[in-house]
mmCIF file of all heavy atoms in Angstrom:
data_model
loop_
_atom_site.group_PDB
_atom_site.id
_atom_site.type_symbol
_atom_site.label_atom_id
_atom_site.label_comp_id
_atom_site.label_asym_id
_atom_site.label_seq_id
_atom_site.Cartn_x
_atom_site.Cartn_y
_atom_site.Cartn_z
ATOM 1 N N LYS I 179 16.612 -43.455 -0.366
ATOM 2 C CA LYS I 179 17.101 -42.153 -0.828
ATOM 3 C C LYS I 179 17.153 -42.135 -2.354
ATOM 4 O O LYS I 179 17.570 -43.096 -2.985
ATOM 5 C CB LYS I 179 18.508 -41.888 -0.278
ATOM 6 C CG LYS I 179 18.543 -41.507 1.184
ATOM 7 C CD LYS I 179 19.953 -41.109 1.587
ATOM 8 C CE LYS I 179 20.004 -40.698 3.051
ATOM 9 N NZ LYS I 179 21.360 -40.277 3.444
ATOM 10 N N ARG I 180 16.726 -41.052 -2.909
ATOM 11 C CA ARG I 180 16.759 -40.894 -4.353
ATOM 12 C C ARG I 180 17.346 -39.532 -4.699
ATOM 13 O O ARG I 180 17.482 -38.662 -3.844
ATOM 14 C CB ARG I 180 15.355 -41.029 -4.942
ATOM 15 C CG ARG I 180 14.712 -42.400 -4.671
ATOM 16 C CD ARG I 180 13.423 -42.563 -5.451
ATOM 17 N NE ARG I 180 12.767 -43.828 -5.128
ATOM 18 C CZ ARG I 180 13.086 -45.002 -5.652
ATOM 19 N NH1 ARG I 180 14.062 -45.068 -6.531
ATOM 20 N NH2 ARG I 180 12.439 -46.093 -5.314
ATOM 21 N N TYR I 181 17.720 -39.364 -5.963
ATOM 22 C CA TYR I 181 18.211 -38.075 -6.427
ATOM 23 C C TYR I 181 17.148 -37.032 -6.131
ATOM 24 O O TYR I 181 15.967 -37.264 -6.364
ATOM 25 C CB TYR I 181 18.485 -38.131 -7.925
ATOM 26 C CG TYR I 181 18.951 -36.826 -8.522
ATOM 27 C CD1 TYR I 181 20.291 -36.490 -8.481
ATOM 28 C CD2 TYR I 181 18.047 -35.938 -9.085
ATOM 29 C CE1 TYR I 181 20.722 -35.287 -9.015
ATOM 30 C CE2 TYR I 181 18.463 -34.743 -9.612
ATOM 31 C CZ TYR I 181 19.804 -34.426 -9.576
ATOM 32 O OH TYR I 181 20.231 -33.237 -10.098
ATOM 33 N N PRO I 182 17.521 -35.873 -5.571
ATOM 34 C CA PRO I 182 18.871 -35.378 -5.327
ATOM 35 C C PRO I 182 19.347 -35.548 -3.889
ATOM 36 O O PRO I 182 20.289 -34.882 -3.485
ATOM 37 C CB PRO I 182 18.726 -33.899 -5.655
ATOM 38 C CG PRO I 182 17.347 -33.583 -5.157
ATOM 39 C CD PRO I 182 16.518 -34.815 -5.407
ATOM 40 N N GLN I 183 18.713 -36.427 -3.094
ATOM 41 C CA GLN I 183 19.114 -36.570 -1.694
ATOM 42 C C GLN I 183 20.526 -37.124 -1.543
ATOM 43 O O GLN I 183 21.126 -37.028 -0.487
ATOM 44 C CB GLN I 183 18.128 -37.468 -0.949
ATOM 45 C CG GLN I 183 16.857 -36.773 -0.506
ATOM 46 C CD GLN I 183 15.893 -36.587 -1.655
ATOM 47 O OE1 GLN I 183 15.962 -37.301 -2.638
ATOM 48 N NE2 GLN I 183 14.997 -35.623 -1.527
ATOM 49 N N ASN I 184 21.069 -37.749 -2.604
ATOM 50 C CA ASN I 184 22.404 -38.338 -2.511
ATOM 51 C C ASN I 184 23.501 -37.409 -3.035
ATOM 52 O O ASN I 184 24.645 -37.835 -3.198
ATOM 53 C CB ASN I 184 22.444 -39.664 -3.297
ATOM 54 C CG ASN I 184 22.011 -39.483 -4.748
ATOM 55 O OD1 ASN I 184 21.627 -38.395 -5.152
ATOM 56 N ND2 ASN I 184 22.074 -40.545 -5.524
ATOM 57 N N LEU I 185 23.176 -36.158 -3.274
ATOM 58 C CA LEU I 185 24.185 -35.218 -3.771
ATOM 59 C C LEU I 185 25.159 -34.834 -2.663
ATOM 60 O O LEU I 185 24.851 -34.904 -1.483
ATOM 61 C CB LEU I 185 23.509 -33.960 -4.317
ATOM 62 C CG LEU I 185 22.653 -34.143 -5.573
ATOM 63 C CD1 LEU I 185 21.977 -32.832 -5.937
ATOM 64 C CD2 LEU I 185 23.487 -34.648 -6.741
ATOM 65 N N LYS I 186 26.358 -34.396 -3.053
ATOM 66 C CA LYS I 186 27.363 -33.951 -2.094
ATOM 67 C C LYS I 186 28.134 -32.772 -2.686
ATOM 68 O O LYS I 186 27.801 -32.288 -3.769
ATOM 69 C CB LYS I 186 28.322 -35.093 -1.749
ATOM 70 C CG LYS I 186 29.076 -35.665 -2.939
ATOM 71 C CD LYS I 186 30.004 -36.790 -2.502
ATOM 72 C CE LYS I 186 30.811 -37.320 -3.688
ATOM 73 N NZ LYS I 186 31.749 -38.388 -3.266
ATOM 74 N N ASP I 187 29.169 -32.327 -1.980
ATOM 75 C CA ASP I 187 30.011 -31.212 -2.423
ATOM 76 C C ASP I 187 29.210 -29.937 -2.660
ATOM 77 O O ASP I 187 29.499 -29.157 -3.567
ATOM 78 C CB ASP I 187 30.786 -31.573 -3.697
ATOM 79 C CG ASP I 187 31.808 -32.667 -3.469
ATOM 80 O OD1 ASP I 187 32.319 -32.741 -2.341
ATOM 81 O OD2 ASP I 187 32.076 -33.451 -4.385
ATOM 82 N N GLY I 188 28.187 -29.721 -1.817
ATOM 83 C CA GLY I 188 27.391 -28.507 -1.952
ATOM 84 C C GLY I 188 26.365 -28.563 -3.062
ATOM 85 O O GLY I 188 25.609 -27.604 -3.259
ATOM 86 N N ASP I 189 26.290 -29.678 -3.806
ATOM 87 C CA ASP I 189 25.368 -29.753 -4.938
ATOM 88 C C ASP I 189 23.910 -29.848 -4.506
ATOM 89 O O ASP I 189 23.012 -29.534 -5.295
ATOM 90 C CB ASP I 189 25.716 -30.944 -5.843
ATOM 91 C CG ASP I 189 26.960 -30.680 -6.678
ATOM 92 O OD1 ASP I 189 27.277 -29.497 -6.890
ATOM 93 O OD2 ASP I 189 27.613 -31.647 -7.117
ATOM 94 N N LEU I 190 23.652 -30.293 -3.269
ATOM 95 C CA LEU I 190 22.274 -30.298 -2.799
ATOM 96 C C LEU I 190 21.787 -28.866 -2.585
ATOM 97 O O LEU I 190 20.648 -28.525 -2.906
ATOM 98 C CB LEU I 190 22.141 -31.099 -1.501
ATOM 99 C CG LEU I 190 20.713 -31.296 -0.983
ATOM 100 C CD1 LEU I 190 19.844 -31.915 -2.063
ATOM 101 C CD2 LEU I 190 20.701 -32.167 0.254
ATOM 102 N N PHE I 191 22.671 -28.010 -2.047
ATOM 103 C CA PHE I 191 22.345 -26.587 -1.965
ATOM 104 C C PHE I 191 22.073 -26.044 -3.361
ATOM 105 O O PHE I 191 21.092 -25.341 -3.599
ATOM 106 C CB PHE I 191 23.515 -25.809 -1.353
ATOM 107 C CG PHE I 191 23.366 -25.545 0.121
ATOM 108 C CD1 PHE I 191 24.450 -25.652 0.973
ATOM 109 C CD2 PHE I 191 22.150 -25.177 0.663
ATOM 110 C CE1 PHE I 191 24.324 -25.408 2.326
ATOM 111 C CE2 PHE I 191 22.009 -24.920 2.017
ATOM 112 C CZ PHE I 191 23.104 -25.040 2.850
ATOM 113 N N ARG I 192 22.981 -26.363 -4.286
ATOM 114 C CA ARG I 192 22.850 -25.824 -5.643
ATOM 115 C C ARG I 192 21.556 -26.296 -6.301
ATOM 116 O O ARG I 192 20.887 -25.525 -6.991
ATOM 117 C CB ARG I 192 24.054 -26.247 -6.486
ATOM 118 C CG ARG I 192 25.364 -25.615 -6.057
ATOM 119 C CD ARG I 192 26.481 -25.934 -7.054
ATOM 120 N NE ARG I 192 27.720 -25.299 -6.664
ATOM 121 C CZ ARG I 192 28.660 -25.885 -5.927
ATOM 122 N NH1 ARG I 192 28.486 -27.119 -5.485
ATOM 123 N NH2 ARG I 192 29.771 -25.247 -5.617
ATOM 124 N N HIS I 193 21.224 -27.562 -6.113
ATOM 125 C CA HIS I 193 19.989 -28.079 -6.710
ATOM 126 C C HIS I 193 18.761 -27.399 -6.117
ATOM 127 O O HIS I 193 17.824 -27.050 -6.845
ATOM 128 C CB HIS I 193 19.895 -29.594 -6.486
ATOM 129 C CG HIS I 193 18.628 -30.193 -7.017
ATOM 130 N ND1 HIS I 193 18.485 -30.583 -8.334
ATOM 131 C CD2 HIS I 193 17.430 -30.453 -6.421
ATOM 132 C CE1 HIS I 193 17.274 -31.060 -8.526
ATOM 133 N NE2 HIS I 193 16.607 -30.994 -7.375
ATOM 134 N N ALA I 194 18.772 -27.199 -4.798
ATOM 135 C CA ALA I 194 17.603 -26.645 -4.125
ATOM 136 C C ALA I 194 17.326 -25.207 -4.546
ATOM 137 O O ALA I 194 16.168 -24.779 -4.553
ATOM 138 C CB ALA I 194 17.792 -26.724 -2.607
ATOM 139 N N ARG I 196 18.568 -23.784 -7.536
ATOM 140 C CA ARG I 196 19.094 -23.660 -8.901
ATOM 141 C C ARG I 196 18.346 -22.619 -9.736
ATOM 142 O O ARG I 196 18.867 -22.149 -10.758
ATOM 143 C CB ARG I 196 19.037 -25.014 -9.611
ATOM 144 C CG ARG I 196 17.637 -25.552 -9.819
ATOM 145 C CD ARG I 196 17.667 -27.007 -10.274
ATOM 146 N NE ARG I 196 16.340 -27.532 -10.526
ATOM 147 C CZ ARG I 196 15.521 -27.963 -9.584
ATOM 148 N NH1 ARG I 196 15.891 -27.898 -8.321
ATOM 149 N NH2 ARG I 196 14.333 -28.434 -9.891
ATOM 150 N N THR I 211 29.619 -27.150 2.290
ATOM 151 C CA THR I 211 29.075 -28.502 2.172
ATOM 152 C C THR I 211 28.286 -28.892 3.418
ATOM 153 O O THR I 211 28.295 -30.050 3.828
ATOM 154 C CB THR I 211 30.215 -29.509 1.940
ATOM 155 O OG1 THR I 211 31.129 -29.438 3.044
ATOM 156 C CG2 THR I 211 30.978 -29.207 0.664
ATOM 157 N N TYR I 213 25.206 -29.414 4.061
ATOM 158 C CA TYR I 213 24.221 -30.475 3.907
ATOM 159 C C TYR I 213 24.858 -31.867 3.889
ATOM 160 O O TYR I 213 24.222 -32.860 4.234
ATOM 161 C CB TYR I 213 23.455 -30.287 2.596
ATOM 162 C CG TYR I 213 22.086 -29.664 2.752
ATOM 163 C CD1 TYR I 213 21.621 -28.732 1.830
ATOM 164 C CD2 TYR I 213 21.247 -30.016 3.801
ATOM 165 C CE1 TYR I 213 20.358 -28.157 1.948
ATOM 166 C CE2 TYR I 213 19.997 -29.453 3.935
ATOM 167 C CZ TYR I 213 19.562 -28.526 3.004
ATOM 168 O OH TYR I 213 18.318 -27.972 3.135
ATOM 169 N N ASP I 214 26.106 -31.955 3.474
ATOM 170 C CA ASP I 214 26.733 -33.255 3.251
ATOM 171 C C ASP I 214 26.865 -34.100 4.507
ATOM 172 O O ASP I 214 26.931 -35.323 4.428
ATOM 173 C CB ASP I 214 28.125 -33.080 2.630
ATOM 174 C CG ASP I 214 28.068 -32.466 1.241
ATOM 175 O OD1 ASP I 214 26.951 -32.296 0.722
ATOM 176 O OD2 ASP I 214 29.125 -32.152 0.688
ATOM 177 N N ARG I 215 26.918 -33.482 5.659
ATOM 178 C CA ARG I 215 27.204 -34.231 6.884
ATOM 179 C C ARG I 215 25.957 -34.862 7.492
ATOM 180 O O ARG I 215 26.045 -35.571 8.488
ATOM 181 C CB ARG I 215 27.876 -33.333 7.915
ATOM 182 C CG ARG I 215 27.002 -32.198 8.412
ATOM 183 C CD ARG I 215 27.726 -31.359 9.447
ATOM 184 N NE ARG I 215 28.025 -32.120 10.649
ATOM 185 C CZ ARG I 215 28.741 -31.650 11.667
ATOM 186 N NH1 ARG I 215 29.242 -30.439 11.594
ATOM 187 N NH2 ARG I 215 28.953 -32.384 12.720
ATOM 188 N N PHE I 216 24.779 -34.629 6.908
ATOM 189 C CA PHE I 216 23.547 -35.158 7.479
ATOM 190 C C PHE I 216 23.074 -36.397 6.735
ATOM 191 O O PHE I 216 23.029 -36.424 5.513
ATOM 192 C CB PHE I 216 22.441 -34.097 7.456
ATOM 193 C CG PHE I 216 22.765 -32.909 8.304
ATOM 194 C CD1 PHE I 216 23.091 -31.702 7.731
ATOM 195 C CD2 PHE I 216 22.774 -33.004 9.681
ATOM 196 C CE1 PHE I 216 23.407 -30.605 8.503
ATOM 197 C CE2 PHE I 216 23.088 -31.922 10.473
ATOM 198 C CZ PHE I 216 23.400 -30.720 9.882
ATOM 199 N N ARG I 222 17.763 -33.419 4.965
ATOM 200 C CA ARG I 222 18.289 -33.347 3.602
ATOM 201 C C ARG I 222 17.166 -33.123 2.589
ATOM 202 O O ARG I 222 17.314 -33.373 1.403
ATOM 203 C CB ARG I 222 19.071 -34.615 3.260
ATOM 204 C CG ARG I 222 20.391 -34.723 4.010
ATOM 205 C CD ARG I 222 21.137 -35.996 3.619
ATOM 206 N NE ARG I 222 21.531 -36.012 2.233
ATOM 207 C CZ ARG I 222 22.640 -35.449 1.754
ATOM 208 N NH1 ARG I 222 23.461 -34.807 2.567
ATOM 209 N NH2 ARG I 222 22.940 -35.525 0.480
ATOM 210 N N THR I 227 12.008 -31.063 -2.882
ATOM 211 C CA THR I 227 12.502 -32.435 -2.992
ATOM 212 C C THR I 227 11.730 -33.429 -2.142
ATOM 213 O O THR I 227 11.897 -34.639 -2.297
ATOM 214 C CB THR I 227 13.992 -32.510 -2.594
ATOM 215 O OG1 THR I 227 14.130 -32.071 -1.231
ATOM 216 C CG2 THR I 227 14.843 -31.635 -3.485
#
Side-chain angles (χ1 to χ4, degrees):
K179 285 187 179 181
R180 299 189 184 278
Y181 178 85
Q183 279 77 23
N184 56 357
L185 294 176
K186 59 180 183 178
D187 294 330
D189 285 337
L190 186 55
F191 263 140
R192 292 188 178 93
H193 178 85
R196 64 191 182 280
T211 59
Y213 259 141
D214 295 353
R215 65 179 296 175
F216 297 108
R222 290 181 64 84
T227 60

